[in-house]
Amino acid sequence: MERQAMSPDRQQILIICPVYNEEANIAYFFERLCRTLEQLDRTKYDVRLLFTNNRSTDATLACLRALQQKYPWVGYLTLSRNHGYQLSLLAGLTSADADLYMVCDVDCEDPPEMLHPLLAEIEAGRDYAYGIRNN
């Protein structure tokens, strides 16, 4: 993933999205994420999005390439084979540096809008913030 010039005054957030055959979900997820990021205080945070493509067999890779070409803050990496969700996530965590990381699935079961309440917890002094699905 190509690095953007980072501001020393802002924290770098890396949103990692493991994907496998998600062509039908990527556009909807990305639209929701962009609306969420519009509300983010850009004087405090820089954001990058990294998709980890778990060797999808549908048009997922073409969707990711199109996003990367249009948005310089979006990147992807494609694994050599389908290694499963956890190793796909680990690949994202170990291939790009950031101050803060968020894992978000493109099916929106864990909504990208959770970024704001999770950041509020970090800003309140928590070392970690996570959500637990209750329904």
Side-chain angles (χ1 to χ4, degrees):
M1 176 175 206
E2 186 174 319
R3 288 193 161 271
Q4 289 180 295
M6 293 190 291
S7 168
D9 301 329
R10 295 189 294 258
Q11 287 189 300
Q12 183 72 214
I13 299 172
L14 178 64
I15 300 171
I16 302 171
C17 296
V19 292
Y20 177 72
N21 291 346
E22 296 283 357
E23 69 177 308
N25 295 323
I26 291 172
Y28 176 68
F29 164 79
F30 191 73
E31 178 184 317
R32 284 180 65 175
L33 179 64
C34 286
R35 283 196 313 259
T36 299
L37 295 179
E38 287 173 359
Q39 301 167 13
L40 191 65
D41 184 349
R42 292 306 181 117
T43 64
K44 291 176 158 180
Y45 301 105
D46 286 323
V47 177
R48 291 181 297 150
L49 173 60
L50 177 63
F51 291 98
T52 56
N53 179 23
N54 214 4
R55 208 57 177 191
S56 296
T57 58
D58 65 356
T60 293
L61 183 55
C63 295
L64 301 180
R65 285 181 177 146
L67 285 175
Q68 184 184 46
Q69 288 177 351
K70 189 170 183 181
Y71 302 96
W73 54 277
V74 175
Y76 68 89
L77 58 93
T78 296
L79 304 179
S80 61
R81 65 178 176 85
N82 184 344
H83 291 278
Y85 182 88
Q86 286 78 12
L87 288 178
S88 181
L89 177 58
L90 183 61
L93 289 168
T94 58
S95 64
D97 292 331
D99 299 306
L100 301 168
Y101 297 86
M102 178 181 181
V103 176
C104 198
D105 297 342
V106 297
D107 63 8
C108 294
E109 281 190 28
D110 301 319
E113 294 85 0
M114 288 300 298
L115 176 65
H116 296 292
L118 294 172
L119 277 177
E121 292 297 322
I122 296 296
E123 289 174 350
R126 310 288 189 271
D127 291 329
Y128 303 96
Y130 62 93
I132 298 175
R133 203 174 305 150
N134 61 9
N135 60 15

